[in-house]
Amino acid sequence: MKIFIKNMVCNRCISAVEDIFNKAGAAPRSVILGEAETASEISPEKMRIIEKELVATGFERIMDSAYQLVEKIKNLIIMKISGLDISEDFLLSEFLSSKLHKDYSSLSKTFSQNENITLEQFFILQKIEKVKELLLYNEFTLTEIAGKLGYKSVQHLSTQFRNSTGFTPTEFKKLKDHHRKPLDNL
């Protein structure tokens, strides 16, 4: 049985969901971002317990197929960005179409209707949050960050960063409050 779950964005989320299922006595066969799979059906009573715990932990069970698709899209984008291996010629449309085996225009339409933001805008916001994180860690230069996130130049990254945050990357690093947003709030 597959259960689709909203707001899973990292490995800690996977662990938290595994714990919720295990505590409810419905050990999952597998848990990945956005979904948990069990070997057998879950009783309605156990499902109510799981759903209650999911909500208490900041997650939510997704019943609607459009929302399930949106969560899959979000998770694919988040994982792609977290891998820091986006090439300059990366095309979001080709990536999502190949991963989900659906036409990009229908993916884009479903996403926009459910999230009130375009797929491209979401992708940019996610990349900007990753840039913020990498700037704070101070492990990479701005040139290296631009290369890892598929920007054609540091100027392109800086322009997009400023448009999104109101600050240049350098100004952002100097701030005391860094205005980072949780990924599930984007």
Side-chain angles (χ1 to χ4, degrees), residues 7-17 31-34 59 75 78-79 82 183-184:
N7 296 331
M8 291 180 70
V9 297
C10 64
N11 288 334
R12 285 186 306 279
C13 296
I14 291 171
S15 294
V17 168
V31 178
I32 60 172
L33 291 180
F59 304 113
N75 290 329
I78 289 167
M79 293 307 293
S82 71
L183 295 181
D184 58 335

Side-chain angles (χ1 to χ4, degrees), residues 135-148:
L135 286 172
L136 295 176
Y137 291 160
N138 213 20
E139 290 180 38
F140 302 110
T141 66
L142 204 52
T143 302
E144 290 170 325
I145 293 170
K148 291 178 179 300

Side-chain angles (χ1 to χ4, degrees), residues 14 52 68 71 121 135 141 151 155 157 161 165 180:
I14 291 171
K52 183 179 176 184
Q68 290 174 3
E71 283 301 305
Q121 289 169 326
L135 286 172
T141 66
Y151 288 98
Q155 181 60 41
L157 181 154
F161 192 91
T165 66
R180 294 215 31 227

